[in-house]
């Protein structure tokens, strides 16, 4: 096991060595992929391909069509049934369960596993772990990796790199956005990344089904003691053509002036409830998510809890109220 005690923003040398000697690396983005999962998957996949390697890009769940402008979007597989890889790289995942069904221990357990991630709740489950919670996105880390490999940026790579930075910062609105992030962003735009197009496609485009679901979920909104929450039930979305998550809703309800912490509870067909948390500056939802078997960042985290949705909401909201009480 290695740690991140090297200089910040620099990948550990053994990671560079492992990448250089790999011929067919298997890249895995996390389940229910977001812009940073798909952005870092396609950025690293494209970079390694450009370096003459034969990467496999994998994600258990289908990448949303929102991201179909990214390189190799069409090459992302949901099953690895091709030639055996010689290295495994986990992207944007804080624990091994986030890799979902792609990481089959019996098939890939003997291969070296590299973890590249920016979650503060990362459990260091790789043989080589490059974990940097100071980075706003795993994509920001892949930018530093590109530099460390002395590889040039091009428009395609820059577009994939900027996507995760834009989505994980919600368009540069989160308080972890530093001058360093803006500097990287400037370089990516210089290399041809279309910032306005990425922002419009990933943050400002929604299906009518999603807007309808937001409306129904907003009917359940409640605010008490600084915690605002809403439910997304199976019944609410049964006529909405397969949509599951009320994407973006949790950030929206946090905009209530009285709210310190927001939560959206999504009822799943398997009897579980997906919980999505957001916190204003000074409050930390990552540890509550971690305690409930999930993970994330201080201002944005999540977990999946077994139980009936109303009961889960009641129980979890009480935990969130404790955090919202903390005088900031
Ligand atoms: P979202 O609310 O957008 O689904 O997730 C917010 C953050 O929490 C993301 O960084 C995501 O990776 C993390 N997260 C959400 N759900 C889970 C979960 O079930 N397990 C873990 N480990 N992290 C989660
Ligand atoms: Mn991320």
């Amino acid at each position: 096991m290695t740690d991140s005690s090297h200089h910040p923003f620099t990948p550990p040398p053994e990671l560079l060595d492992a990448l250089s000697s790999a011929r067919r690396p298997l890249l895995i983005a996390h389940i229910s992929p977001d812009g940073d999962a798909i952005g870092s998957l396609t950025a690293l996949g494209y970079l390694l391909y450009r370096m003459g390697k034969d990467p496999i890009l994998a994600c258990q769940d289908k990448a949303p069509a929102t991201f179909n402008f990214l390189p190799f979007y069409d090459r992302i597989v949901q099953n690895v049934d091709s030639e055996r890889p010689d290295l495994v790289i986990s992207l944007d995942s804080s624990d091994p369960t986030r890799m979902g069904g792609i990481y089959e221990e019996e098939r890939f357990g003997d291969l070296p596993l590299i973890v590249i991630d920016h979650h503060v709740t990362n459990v260091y489950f790789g043989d080589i772990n490059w974990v940097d919670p100071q980075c706003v996105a795993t994509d920001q880390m892949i930018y530093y990796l590109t530099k460390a490999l002395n590889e040039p940026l091009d428009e395609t790579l820059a577009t994939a790199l900027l996507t995760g930075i834009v989505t994980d910062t919600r368009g540069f609105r989160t308080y972890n956005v530093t001058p360093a992030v803006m500097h990287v962003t400037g370089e990516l735009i210089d290399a041809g990344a279309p910032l306005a197009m990425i922002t419009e496609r990933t943050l400002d485009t929604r299906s009518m089904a999603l807007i309808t679901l937001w409306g129904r979920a907003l009917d359940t909104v409640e605010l008490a003691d600084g915690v605002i929450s809403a439910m997304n039930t199976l019944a609410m979305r049964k006529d909405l053509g397969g949509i599951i998550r009320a994407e973006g809703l949790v950030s929206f309800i946090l905009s209530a002036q009285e709210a310190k912490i927001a939560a959206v509870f999504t009822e799943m067909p398997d009897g579980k409830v997906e919980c999505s948390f957001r916190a204003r500056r000074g409050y930390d939802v990552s540890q509550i998510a971690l305690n409930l078997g999930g993970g994330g960042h201080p201002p944005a985290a999540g977990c999946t809890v077994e139980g009936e949705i109303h009961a889960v909401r009641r129980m979890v909201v009480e935990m969130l109220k404790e955090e919202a009480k903390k005088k900031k």
Side-chain angles (χ1 to χ4, degrees):
M1 293 280 281
T2 52
D3 65 18
S4 299
S5 55
H6 58 280
H7 187 269
F9 303 153
T10 307
E14 58 270 33
L15 189 155
L16 300 177
D17 292 344
L19 280 186
S20 300
S21 52
R23 195 190 59 77
R24 188 161 170 77
L26 168 61
L27 280 50
I28 307 176
H30 65 73
I31 54 179
S32 305
D34 57 15
D36 192 32
I38 300 301
S40 58
L41 177 70
T42 56
L44 185 58
Y46 174 76
L47 175 66
L48 293 173
Y49 177 81
R50 221 182 51 184
M51 289 167 69
K53 301 177 188 303
D54 186 20
I56 308 165
L57 283 67
C59 183
Q60 176 196 285
D61 302 322
K62 195 168 162 33
T66 310
F67 304 116
N68 64 9
F69 62 92
L70 290 170
F72 290 169
Y73 171 85
D74 294 323
R75 281 178 47 158
I76 302 173
V77 296
Q78 291 174 261
N79 293 292
V80 182
D81 45 20
S82 53
E83 188 196 335
R84 184 176 148 80
D86 55 8
L87 174 71
V88 182
I89 306 172
S90 168
L91 293 163
D92 202 37
S93 294
S94 57
D95 67 64
T97 68
R98 299 286 287 164
M99 296 189 287
I102 299 291
Y103 191 79
E104 295 174 54
E105 182 70 43
E106 45 307 344
R107 285 176 74 193
F108 306 132
D110 59 327
L111 297 172
L113 173 63
I114 293 180
V115 168
I116 303 178
D117 183 37
H118 71 125
H119 289 92
V120 70
T121 54
N122 192 287
V123 298
Y124 289 70
F125 54 99
D127 300 299
I128 299 171
N129 298 286
W130 182 30
V131 177
D132 197 334
Q134 289 198 65
C135 286
V136 297
T138 299
D139 249 338
Q140 187 186 355
M141 299 176 73
I142 305 301
Y143 164 88
Y144 296 122
L145 177 62
T146 305
K147 295 283 146 169
L149 289 165
N150 288 314
E151 288 289 326
L153 294 171
D154 63 24
E155 184 180 329
T156 304
L157 180 57
T159 299
L161 291 171
L162 190 53
T163 296
I165 294 175
V166 166
T167 56
D168 268 16
T169 63
R170 291 184 297 113
F172 307 101
R173 285 143 82 183
T174 54
Y175 54 79
N176 55 358
V177 173
T178 58
V181 174
M182 299 316 285
H183 180 88
V184 169
T185 298
E187 234 188 276
L188 296 175
I189 293 171
D190 229 8
L195 173 60
M197 181 279 270
I198 293 170
T199 305
E200 187 186 351
R201 292 287 301 269
T202 62
L203 299 176
D204 292 335
T205 304
R206 292 176 184 89
S207 64
M208 190 54 206
L210 177 57
I211 288 173
T212 306
L213 180 58
W214 272 38
R216 293 173 185 175
L218 280 169
D219 265 345
T220 70
V221 82
E222 281 176 14
L223 171 82
D225 304 327
V227 177
I228 191 163
S229 69
M231 292 189 297
N232 164 5
T233 65
L234 286 166
M236 277 176 200
R237 54 185 200 265
K238 70 172 191 307
D239 60 337
L240 296 181
I243 186 171
I244 299 173
R245 312 190 70 214
E247 210 65 61
L249 180 64
V250 68
S251 297
F252 176 70
I253 61 175
L254 184 62
S255 65
Q257 208 158 35
E258 298 84 350
K260 314 272 191 265
I261 292 175
V264 168
F265 299 95
T266 304
E267 183 182 24
M268 302 302 285
D270 61 1
K272 293 180 178 159
V273 179
E274 282 189 13
C275 312
S276 184
F277 308 137
R278 294 293 183 275
R280 284 192 191 273
R281 175 168 207 163
Y283 299 87
D284 180 353
V285 284
S286 68
Q287 295 312 308
I288 293 169
L290 187 66
N291 291 340
L292 291 168
H297 314 282
C303 58
T304 302
V305 176
E306 214 137 341
E308 190 278 322
I309 184 166
H310 295 83
V312 170
R313 180 191 200 179
R314 249 190 320 275
M315 189 262 301
V316 174
V317 164
E318 286 311 310
M319 297 172 77
L320 296 171
K321 282 182 183 173
E322 288 304 309
E323 178 63 23
K325 253 188 223 160
K326 295 186 180 161
K327 185 118 180 80
K328 297 285 151 81

